Amino acid sequence: MSGDELGFVHEAFESGWIAPLGPQVDAFERETSDYIGRPQALALSSGTAALHLGLRLLGVETGDVVLCSSLTFIASVSPVTFMGAKPYFVDSDEDTWNMSPRALERAIDDLSSKGIKPKAAIVAELYGQAPKWDELMPIFDRHDIPVLEDSAEALGADYDGRKCGTFGRYSVLSYNGNKIITTSGGGMLLLDDVESREKAFFWATQARDKAPWYQHSEIGYNYRMSNVLAAIGRGQMLHLDERVEAKRAVYKRYEKAFSDIPGIALMPEAKKGRSSMWLTSITVDPDETGTTAMDIWKALGDENIESRPVWKPMHLQPVFEGCGYASHDDGISVGDRLFENGLCLPSGTSMTEQQQDRVIETVKKALKR
């Protein structure tokens, strides 16, 4: 927290607007829209809620197939099941760790051979980084597959001069407590047209019909953000760019520290992208280092330093057993390898250089064992 949040929260209390909706929500939407560069924004209770509404706007229904990034958090995918649809998972590429254009082509070919056309695609921007949008979008366009862009981890990042959150038909942000800025909980749906926003707003407010009584012709949800949380978000937005710079500085220090160690590699930055470096992640080659990512994870834990394996790919999750999966190539699953060898290191913007040095030294000691 920067302290600027308190001024906006005070405004919210002074206005009497506490519950969902209110002037802070309106301002938060407007300021986010201006920052990202999209005409419309809708503040919601979570990024998951935004994904759910985005899928509904895309017309996803029971029995449909939705292409999804496999190497991501489950919240990127679970809304597909809310719609009664089925995910089909797509592998990562080596260059970005995000959806592989090659694997995407393989997924579409496989589904086409079975007479199935994907209804939509959810493309996650992993750990603050965009995928190769210039290669992915022509494939989606050629097959007329609309994209829901999951920018939950990539607020403040860009690709080829465009902000993350501007590539999909609809795009999603998250303000969960672990994100680069937070409202403690919340999300945003980014759109281009007023009609779609009004429909999403209708669903997000319990789908109440225009009538003097409570009348409902469709099922809706309680998905709106509170005025108080929006006030916190406004204060956080003032410091977004400096937090991105702080995250990137953390990455650069890790990069320098591990640059001369064979077998340790950081998640690469896309050639045309500028990552927010939401989380700095490394891969550990056990053949070169003589140790594993989990050995380092344990060594850090023994020093009371929290680290985590990279996301377990969705195609390996028990809950999605039986769903389709297209790997980058025959017998080569990039996501499986990254999960086996990957580790997310402490990357908080409030972490001091001395604290980061402690992480680095613990990793180096683990490699000497």
Side-chain angles (χ1 to χ4, degrees), residues 184-198:
S184 78
M188 193 79 73
L189 181 63
L190 302 168
L191 321 88
D192 290 332
D193 63 291
V194 174
E195 183 180 1
S196 294
R197 187 193 181 281
E198 288 180 347

Side-chain angles (χ1 to χ4, degrees), residues 58-77:
L58 292 174
V60 174
E61 297 177 339
T62 299
D64 286 335
V65 171
V66 177
L67 297 167
C68 299
S69 302
S70 184
L71 188 60
T72 186
F73 180 53
I74 193 171
S76 296
V77 180

Side-chain angles (χ1 to χ4, degrees), residues 93-97 127 129 247-270 275 277 279-285 310 337-338 341-347 356 360 363-364 367:
D93 66 29
E94 299 276 2
D95 301 330
T96 68
W97 294 17
Y127 298 149
Q129 170 144 277
K247 289 279 191 179
R248 290 182 63 83
V250 167
Y251 177 92
K252 291 295 184 184
R253 288 197 292 271
Y254 280 131
E255 183 180 48
K256 181 179 180 181
F258 300 135
S259 61
D260 60 347
I261 301 178
I264 298 290
L266 272 71
M267 177 181 179
E269 186 168 28
S275 173
M277 302 299 180
L279 278 181
T280 294
S281 302
I282 61 171
T283 54
V284 183
D285 186 331
V310 301
R337 181 184 59 77
L338 293 174
N341 297 328
L343 189 67
C344 299
L345 299 177
S347 308
Q356 190 173 0
I360 291 165
V363 171
K364 289 181 175 180
L367 295 172

Side-chain angles (χ1 to χ4, degrees), residues 6 23 32 51-52 59 75 134 136 159 170 178 207 316 320 329 333 335 340 366:
L6 289 174
T32 302
L51 285 166
H52 186 192
D134 55 341
L136 290 174
Y159 186 80
Y170 307 112
N178 62 354
L316 298 179
F320 295 124
D329 213 336
S333 176
E340 182 179 357

Side-chain angles (χ1 to χ4, degrees), residues 5 7-15 17-19 21-31 43 188 225-235:
E5 298 87 352
F8 293 109
V9 171
H10 182 71
E11 285 181 22
F13 276 82
E14 285 290 304
S15 71
W17 288 91
I18 303 299
L21 306 179
Q24 297 295 330
V25 173
D26 295 341
F28 189 32
E29 290 172 342
R30 184 173 61 253
E31 290 159 5
M188 193 79 73
M225 180 182 284
S226 83
N227 202 50
V228 174
L229 295 192
I232 295 172
R234 293 187 69 198

